[in-house]
Each structure stands twice: as C-alpha cells, then as structure tokens.
Amino acid sequence: MSWAWFHRLASPPRFYELAGRLQPWLGGGAAVLLLAGAIWGLAFAPADYQQGDSVRILYIHVPAAMLAQSCYVLLAVAGVVSLVWKIKLADVALQSAAPIGASMTALALVSGSIWGKPTWGTWWVWDARLTSMLILLFLYAGVIALGQAISNRESAAKACAVLAIVGVVNVPIIKYSVVWWSTLHQGATFTLTAKPAMPAQMWLPLALTLPGFYLFFGFVLLLRMRLELLRREGRSQWARAALRAAGHVGERP
C-alpha cells in the first residue's frame, strides 16, 4: 500500500498539484519564523561577553550551514531513488535542490568568514571544517555543471545521481571534523541531547531561524520543482491545463 501511494505521489501532475497546495503554508511559515527570529536575534538578543555583537551572525550562519549539509543528503537520497527505482521526479528534485544547496553553502562560507575576521583575525584559514565546507560547494557546483553539460536527460540524471551519492561521504566529515581533528572552528552551538551552553535569550532566536530556513528551503524547492516539471512536461495535457489555469494561455515553458 505504501509503495503504491509513493508511486502515485511521484506522478508529475499529482505532485504538481500537491506542491501547489503546500507552497503557501511553507512560505508563510518561513516568513513568520525568519522575521521573528531575525528581529529578536539581531536587535534584542544580548551580545556575547567575548565575541560581542559579531555573535549575532550565528542566526544566519548556523541555519545556512546545517541546511547546506541536509540539502546534499537529500541530493544523495534522490540519486539513489533515481538510479534504483527510475523515478523521474527524483531527478527533478535533485536538479532543483542543487542550486539552493550551493547558495546555502556559499552563504555559510561568507557569513563564517565575516565572523572569523574579528574572532580569529583573518577571513579564512584552511581549517578542517572550512575546507570540507568548501569541498561541499565544489560538489554542488559539479552536480549543477553535469546537469547542464550533458544534453541527454537520462545520462545527465545518472551522472548527477552518482556524484551526489559519492559526494555525500563529505557530510559526516563536515559534521565530525571538529571532533576528529584539532581545528579553530568551535563545536556545535547546541544539540538535542544536551542543555545549551548559551543563555535562552541567545539560543531561542536561533530556534526560530533554524526551522525558518528549512521551511524557506521547502518553499523554494517546491517552486523550482513545479517549474521544472512544466518545462519537461510542457507538451503533456496536464501541463497545458496547468498553464491555462495559471493564466499562461498559449505559452510554452
């Protein structure tokens, strides 16, 4: 029963309709959480006694870094589904998520550098955590480049899926690099199994921006997937009907 439901969900017209229903909820939730968390964290949360106001960048840096890693795990899962079960929607998800993950990785690196300058006295060090995050950005770039360079859609899907699966080994390296090696990068800000080391006034805004980033990711991912489905299925009856319903009568994606 569950597999039958999964295959029905993987149907392009069914997924397109469901994604359209979810988008407003994801977008609205993301807007509320990000706005509340950002205002609280940037304007009202106390400064750190050592880092001063530079600590406020964690409300952007931490969610971006976590989302960058989670997104690549999603790419790997989509790659397995695409290779093993030949579900085309998995390739759509992979291709749609890669640019978002690359953007989050770049944001994590840039925001980390901005924090590192006043804290470490330099914009960049070849630290294990920073280096493995840079490798993650290159992996995202590789997936995007493969998807655009190979004209045959089936061959491009296989190549991107293989790279996503192979590259996912970098994710645990990023996570545990501060444990396995002596690095400048600090450990986890807080975990689910331990009491936060920082006061509640500082970590509660992060507890808002973190899910806000993930809801924003879901919103943008569904938006990109719907557009990609229309592009690939533009000649199908359901896609034409969707374009007419959206007011794009006579247009081709």
Side-chain angles (χ1 to χ4, degrees):
M1 181 67 70
S2 59
W3 276 110
W5 176 87
F6 181 76
H7 279 280
R8 285 198 301 270
L9 178 61
S11 168
R14 189 176 297 273
F15 177 84
Y16 183 89
E17 179 183 359
L18 178 61
R21 294 177 181 177
L22 290 176
Q23 272 185 267
W25 294 96
L26 293 173
V32 170
L33 290 175
L34 289 175
L35 186 62
I39 292 176
W40 188 353
L42 299 178
F44 298 105
D48 185 75
Y49 75 100
Q50 288 182 322
Q51 302 175 36
D53 285 326
S54 65
V55 74
R56 300 183 192 279
I57 204 165
L58 74 87
Y59 302 116
I60 296 174
H61 174 72
V62 172
M66 293 181 65
L67 182 53
Q69 297 170 64
S70 301
C71 183
Y72 201 89
V73 173
L74 173 63
L75 260 63
V77 173
V80 171
V81 174
S82 178
L83 287 177
V84 176
W85 289 284
K86 311 296 183 184
I87 295 178
K88 295 182 179 180
L89 189 64
D91 177 58
V92 173
L94 192 156
Q95 299 296 334
S96 300
I100 310 173
S103 299
M104 289 297 108
T105 307
L107 178 59
L109 288 170
V110 171
S111 59
S113 295
I114 295 173
W115 175 84
K117 179 60 176 176
T119 305
W120 297 337
T122 181
W123 296 101
W124 180 266
V125 291
W126 290 102
D127 177 272
R129 173 64 64 83
L130 274 65
T131 303
S132 52
M133 279 296 292
L134 182 61
I135 292 173
L136 183 66
L137 181 61
F138 292 155
L139 288 169
Y140 274 122
V143 172
I144 296 170
L146 277 177
Q148 296 178 349
I150 303 176
S151 57
N152 182 274
R153 186 65 264 159
E154 185 175 348
S155 299
K158 290 181 180 179
C160 291
V162 170
L163 179 56
I165 295 170
V166 173
V168 78
V169 70
N170 187 52
V171 174
I173 293 176
I174 295 172
K175 179 175 176 58
Y176 295 107
S177 58
V178 295
V179 178
W180 292 342
W181 297 286
S182 176
T183 68
L184 286 175
H185 199 285
Q186 67 187 62
T189 302
F190 63 88
T191 66
L192 297 176
T193 58
K195 183 180 179 180
M198 62 176 62
Q201 306 97 296
M202 296 181 69
W203 66 259
L204 281 175
L206 183 59
L208 294 177
T209 57
L210 185 57
F213 264 74
Y214 277 85
L215 289 178
F216 174 75
F217 167 73
F219 171 79
V220 178
L221 176 62
L222 292 183
L223 175 63
R224 289 181 56 85
M225 288 182 68
R226 294 181 87 217
L227 292 174
E228 180 65 15
L229 282 174
L230 288 178
R231 188 184 70 83
R232 296 189 186 191
E233 305 279 335
R235 296 183 180 275
S236 65
Q237 185 175 357
W238 76 264
R240 291 178 179 273
L243 287 171
R244 286 195 297 269
H248 301 290
V249 181
E251 294 184 15
R252 290 186 179 181

